Amino acid sequence: MADTVREAGVEEARIRFAEILGAANRDGVVTIVTKRGVPYAAVVPVPEALSQAPTLAELRGSAEGCFGDAAEFVRELRDEWP
């Protein structure tokens, strides 16, 4: 995680967006964007975001059971297609 974490309200983030992006890219600063004091989003440096993102291998099976039998699901979609 970044050494520096800042907080900015939505309006401040909108006004200072270029500066916030530059700080993330140049200095590794994470900015938490809040709305009425509630955290809504974060601007993080790309290397940090990528290091926390799951790999495809880690996602394998994560949607298991969402559609039942995948082959049958695709067949049904194909049959519905004009």
Side-chain angles (χ1 to χ4, degrees):
M1 184 107 174
D3 293 334
T4 306
V5 178
R6 296 180 182 161
E7 193 173 291
V10 171
E11 186 63 19
E12 178 187 358
R14 184 187 67 77
I15 292 168
R16 298 182 41 230
F17 192 63
E19 180 184 332
I20 290 170
L21 289 178
N25 182 47
R26 181 185 58 251
D27 305 322
V29 174
V30 172
T31 302
I32 306 296
V33 180
T34 62
K35 184 174 183 180
R36 296 187 178 131
V38 177
Y40 258 58
V43 178
V44 299
V46 171
E48 184 171 331
L50 293 178
S51 71
Q52 294 180 15
T55 64
L56 288 177
E58 292 171 329
L59 292 174
R60 179 175 284 136
S62 63
E64 198 171 304
C66 290
F67 303 106
D69 178 21
E72 180 61 30
F73 179 73
V74 170
R75 269 193 295 280
E76 289 174 14
L77 287 177
R78 191 179 309 128
D79 292 343
E80 292 176 11
W81 198 262

